[in-house]
Amino acid sequence: MLVSRCAVPFSLGTFFKHLPVSNPTTLCPYRFRPKTLTATAIRSFSYFETLDSRQKEQVHLYVDTLLQWNQKMNLTAVKEADEVMERHIEDSLAIIPPIRNSYFSHCKVPSESLSIVDVGSGAGLPGLILAIACPGWEVTLMESMNKRCVFLEHVVGHIGLSNVQVVRGRAENLGQALCFRENFDVAVARAVAEMRVLAEYCLPLVCVGGLFVAAKGHDPQEEVRNAEKAIQILVESHSPYGQRTAIVCLKTSPTPRKYPRDPDIYVTPSALEMKCYILQVPVIVSG
């Protein structure tokens, strides 16, 4: 296990709906048609079942540890192991195909040795699960709360992962640090902030040609309207546990040095100045 401390201030499925876009063909030359799944396929398909026996054991160890620690600190509102598997593990694993497909389609190289940063990792979702399922990926769990970092360091050691580092700090600070800025192939975030804020947190961490993947749950149409300068194509799906949305952004130019800004500064979509294309990819399906 690697624990990194940087010297900076810490402070899906049967129905698909495409939000309006002005000219998606011109906007994004790398486009994919989402594969339509039947309602039966949504209920029966499990990403977890595609893992090998060792990986399944590691996931179960993670879930057991999460629920144990959750009794003394607030890591998740979910209290039962089966629900953790359905709500958290399956959703986290479902991010992998969009990352692999999008990265390969853009870069034309295998996606088995990517560097990933999970921004606002919290309980390690989705980053820690990605590290289990993709042992060739180098995963950085970025979390600002010390007690959650303690949990992450413990569970990484308990599971026996060698491809994970835990970094304590805020993305808006670490995004200005040379050791993290534009240093990752992919930035992922799940249930961290609204899209216009999340773009400013994550894109500075991604190298040009890399991906920013946002896993969203509740209907994000208002977020998209508020961030229309940065987000222009969206794919949605529905699962037994509600709507799931995958938004995959291809970063096409360097991030201006002034981003990310101080968290007290209001983030306006027109001020982002971060050029990216939105890749239309298979969506996250849960359950």
Side-chain angles (χ1 to χ4, degrees):
M1 177 184 66
L2 299 175
V3 180
S4 176
R5 307 291 190 191
C6 185
V8 297
F10 289 127
S11 20
L12 301 176
T14 307
F15 306 102
F16 291 91
K17 180 178 180 182
H18 301 271
L19 296 184
V21 297
S22 56
N23 191 345
T25 303
T26 302
L27 172 69
C28 182
Y30 308 100
R31 300 179 68 239
F32 305 87
R33 294 189 178 276
K35 182 179 180 181
T36 302
L37 303 178
T38 65
T40 301
I42 292 176
R43 288 195 297 269
S44 62
F45 182 77
S46 169
Y47 290 97
F48 176 76
E49 293 303 323
T50 66
L51 303 180
D52 63 32
S53 58
R54 172 58 177 160
Q55 291 168 328
K56 290 179 179 179
E57 179 185 358
Q58 290 176 312
V59 169
H60 285 307
L61 280 173
Y62 166 77
V63 173
D64 291 343
T65 306
L66 172 66
L67 293 176
Q68 290 171 8
W69 280 61
N70 201 51
Q71 296 176 18
K72 56 184 179 181
M73 68 172 64
N74 182 26
L75 292 169
T76 177
V78 180
K79 308 298 182 182
E80 301 296 330
D82 288 346
E83 196 171 358
V84 173
M85 293 294 297
E86 292 169 338
R87 284 182 178 265
H88 293 324
I89 305 303
E90 287 290 345
D91 275 4
S92 296
L93 291 171
I95 299 174
I96 296 174
I99 292 175
R100 282 179 167 159
N101 295 340
S102 301
Y103 194 87
F104 176 78
S105 297
H106 172 59
C107 300
K108 303 299 182 184
V109 296
S111 57
E112 300 308 313
S113 58
L114 300 178
S115 59
I116 311 288
V117 58
D118 180 13
V119 177
S121 187
L125 300 164
L128 200 149
I129 304 304
L130 302 185
I132 292 174
C134 304
W137 292 3
E138 293 295 328
V139 178
T140 296
L141 307 179
M142 188 173 289
E143 170 56 42
S144 63
M145 295 184 64
N146 184 66
K147 64 180 182 179
R148 290 180 180 172
C149 288
V150 172
F151 164 74
L152 292 173
E153 292 167 5
H154 169 81
V155 76
V156 166
H158 185 55
I159 293 175
L161 294 174
S162 60
N163 61 329
V164 177
Q165 65 171 343
V166 179
V167 176
R168 185 174 70 86
R170 300 180 66 90
E172 54 266 40
N173 299 129
L174 298 179
Q176 292 289 357
L178 293 179
C179 52
F180 297 110
R181 187 175 183 84
E182 299 192 331
N183 196 44
F184 298 94
D185 298 314
V186 181
V188 299
R190 181 175 183 264
V192 174
E194 65 173 301
M195 203 62 207
R196 58 180 173 177
V197 176
L198 203 56
E200 183 158 345
Y201 288 172
C202 294
L203 284 171
L205 297 165
V206 179
C207 63
V208 175
L211 304 176
F212 157 44
V213 181
K216 309 295 285 187
H218 182 66
D219 185 354
Q221 294 187 43
E222 183 176 354
E223 290 188 38
V224 173
R225 285 192 294 269
N226 291 337
E228 62 182 351
K229 296 294 184 181
I231 306 304
Q232 298 172 356
I233 298 178
L234 180 69
V235 183
E236 301 173 353
S237 71
H238 295 265
S239 78
Y241 291 94
Q243 180 177 300
R244 295 294 180 265
T245 307
I247 305 173
V248 180
C249 306
L250 167 64
K251 183 170 177 177
T252 59
S253 66
T255 301
R257 283 300 311 181
K258 64 180 179 180
Y259 301 110
R261 293 168 290 174
D262 185 280
D264 293 330
I265 298 177
Y266 183 72
V267 180
T268 59
S270 60
L272 285 177
E273 300 175 8
M274 301 175 189
K275 296 180 181 178
C276 63
Y277 293 148
I278 312 304
L279 304 181
Q280 182 176 311
V281 297
V283 296
I284 300 172
V285 181
S286 175

